[in-house]
Amino acid sequence: MYHSSMARAATTSDAFNAVAEPRRRDILNYLALQERPVGDIVASLGLEQPSVSKHLRVLKDVGLVRARREGRHILYGINAEAIRPLHEWTSTFERLWRNQLQRVKERAEEKMKKV
Amino acid sequence: MYHSSMARAATTSDAFNAVAEPRRRDILNYLALQERPVGDIVASLGLEQPSVSKHLRVLKDVGLVRARREGRHILYGINAEAIRPLHEWTSTFERLWRNQLQRVKERAEEKMKKV
DNA sequence: TTGACATATTCCCATATCGGAATGTATCAT
DNA sequence: ATGATACATTCCGATATGGGAATATGTCAA
């Protein structure tokens, strides 16, 4: 890149950015059930067709979905492997929220004793 | 909102958007170890102070971090609870990548038998 | 070939974004 | 009060974004 400043990491750069968009999460949720043609997504989510195509393009570029042609239709399906990095990153904080919940629980039990 | 089109969901809208920015993930990773003042983050991650303050602002607005004043310092710590929704959303796909891996494994074993 | 259908791409616009620079604000020590 | 320290905020510019509308591409059927 030749530019001294960048506005924001491109949405196409990685899975984290791709799933930041709610509609794209909706699409992934929908595709999680089953492989589907674009038209089904359009109908089910009530979005414009070009909008869906553009979101699918982003998801495909970061590897979150795979596409294959089937006659006149193009079937999109999830590539779940690409979601793992997100899962694993969030997992590194699991210990923390368990501790925090544990502390809340302990404090509650302390109060019960005092009563 | 009065506008017919929006460019993109605001970064401050939810945790998904907040963690889409790599530097904010860096900050969260750093704070996961221990509560820290802003200056430590600046020094450790090699970012400009205003930049760090702005990222912290975003993280605080979506509840990913908590701040408390300690003399001249402001200590920032993680609020791990706010990461759970991300973890849980990614978990809904766990079954899928396990299946996909299983299929890969099975295919590999098939090939071994044929040799 | 000519449509009809399914999907992708392009163009335009309003707006959100980040970084840098400058400035504001709060707290403590003297 | 003054200055030093630690952060936060504001303003700016370059750029990325998503939606809408229009258009292009690709596939099948007659």
Side-chain angles (χ1 to χ4, degrees):
Chain A
M1 296 252 182
Y2 298 123
H3 307 292
S4 53
S5 77
M6 282 209 307
R8 185 173 185 175
T11 215
T12 51
S13 58
D14 63 13
F16 282 95
N17 275 285
V19 305
E21 164 65 43
R23 266 68 184 265
R24 286 198 285 264
R25 289 201 299 281
D26 292 343
I27 291 175
L28 290 174
N29 290 338
Y30 182 66
L31 293 179
L33 304 172
Q34 193 183 337
E35 197 181 34
R36 297 281 195 179
V38 179
D40 282 15
I41 304 175
V42 171
S44 295
L45 303 187
L47 304 173
E48 298 292 327
Q49 176 267 312
S51 185
V52 170
S53 281
K54 279 182 277 188
H55 284 312
L56 287 171
R57 174 71 195 266
V58 172
L59 292 171
K60 199 172 93 174
D61 285 349
V62 302
L64 279 163
V65 301
R66 298 252 172 245
R68 72 187 171 87
R69 194 169 260 282
E70 178 98 7
R72 250 183 295 199
H73 297 260
I74 298 185
L75 298 178
Y76 281 86
I78 276 210
N79 177 30
E81 264 299 313
I83 301 182
R84 271 185 88 169
L86 314 201
H87 183 75
E88 267 149 32
W89 182 76
T90 57
S91 294
T92 65
F93 300 92
E94 197 168 358
R95 180 182 53 81
L96 295 178
W97 73 65
R98 287 201 196 289
N99 283 350
Q100 286 177 357
L101 284 181
Q102 185 60 26
R103 256 175 259 141
V104 168
K105 202 179 157 195
E106 282 169 5
R107 257 179 262 145
E109 280 166 8
E110 273 306 302
K111 276 189 182 173
M112 289 302 287
K113 281 185 188 172
K114 285 179 183 170
V115 172
Chain B
M1 296 248 182
Y2 296 124
H3 307 291
S4 53
S5 77
M6 283 207 308
R8 185 173 186 174
T11 212
T12 53
S13 57
D14 64 12
F16 283 95
N17 275 285
V19 306
E21 164 65 43
R23 267 70 184 264
R24 286 199 283 265
R25 290 201 300 278
D26 291 344
I27 292 175
L28 290 174
N29 290 339
Y30 182 65
L31 293 179
L33 304 171
Q34 192 184 338
E35 197 181 34
R36 295 282 196 179
V38 179
D40 282 17
I41 304 174
V42 171
S44 296
L45 303 186
L47 305 173
E48 298 293 327
Q49 175 267 311
S51 186
V52 169
S53 282
K54 279 182 277 189
H55 283 313
L56 286 171
R57 175 70 195 266
V58 172
L59 292 172
K60 199 173 91 173
D61 285 349
V62 302
L64 280 164
V65 301
R66 298 252 172 245
R68 73 187 170 87
R69 181 150 229 143
E70 178 98 6
R72 250 183 294 200
H73 298 260
I74 298 183
L75 299 178
Y76 281 86
I78 275 212
N79 177 30
E81 264 299 316
I83 302 181
R84 273 186 84 169
L86 313 201
H87 183 75
E88 267 149 32
W89 182 74
T90 57
S91 294
T92 64
F93 300 92
E94 197 169 358
R95 180 181 53 82
L96 296 179
W97 73 64
R98 287 199 197 290
N99 284 350
Q100 286 176 357
L101 283 183
Q102 186 58 29
R103 256 174 259 142
V104 169
K105 203 181 155 194
E106 283 168 5
R107 257 179 262 146
E109 281 165 8
E110 274 305 303
K111 277 189 182 171
M112 289 302 286
K113 281 185 189 171
K114 288 179 181 169
V115 172

